[in-house]
């Protein structure tokens, strides 16, 4: 065997041996928390004030920003102790 063929054989052997060494490393595990993802999918319970204000907004036919503003004011006044907003601010 010539020197060049011996070097080629050694290089090939080292590549094959080195490849198997790298192939045996463990893959990184994904960190998933099934309990946390289940909690995110669960709907939040709505308060009585929120439900009542939503019904009032439905009755007035409010949508979008007007509905959001009405519900916000309605819930604030309901939690403060008054029955409902005094006037429709449309």
């Amino acid at each position: 065997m010539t020197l060049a063929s011996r070097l080629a054989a050694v290089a090939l052997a080292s590549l094959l041996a080195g490849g198997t060494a790298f192939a045996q490393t463990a893959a990184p595990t994904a960190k998933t928390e099934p309990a946390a993802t289940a909690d995110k999918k669960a709907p939040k319970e709505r308060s009585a004030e929120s439900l009542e204000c939503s019904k009032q907004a439905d009755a007035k036919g409010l949508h979008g920003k007007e509905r959001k503003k009405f519900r916000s004011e309605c819930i604030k006044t309901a939690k403060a102790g008054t029955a409902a907003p005094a006037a429709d601010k449309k």
Side-chain angles (χ1 to χ4, degrees):
M1 286 181 102
T2 65
L3 181 61
S5 62
R6 287 183 187 177
L7 288 176
V10 170
L12 181 63
S14 65
L15 287 174
L16 292 175
T20 58
F22 288 117
Q24 293 176 1
T25 58
T29 57
K31 295 180 181 179
T32 58
E33 298 178 12
T37 56
D39 291 340
K40 290 180 182 177
K41 293 180 183 178
K44 293 182 179 180
E45 292 186 26
R46 295 173 62 190
S47 66
E49 294 92 358
S50 176
L51 292 172
E52 183 60 33
C53 291
S54 289
K55 289 178 186 178
Q56 291 177 15
D58 287 340
K60 293 182 180 196
L62 298 176
H63 297 284
K65 290 181 181 179
E66 293 174 345
R67 179 183 178 91
K68 187 175 180 179
K69 183 178 179 183
F70 174 80
R71 287 190 71 247
S72 176
E73 292 173 2
C74 178
I75 291 170
K76 285 179 187 176
T77 57
K79 287 185 178 181
T82 59
D88 182 18
K89 297 179 181 179
K90 213 173 181 183

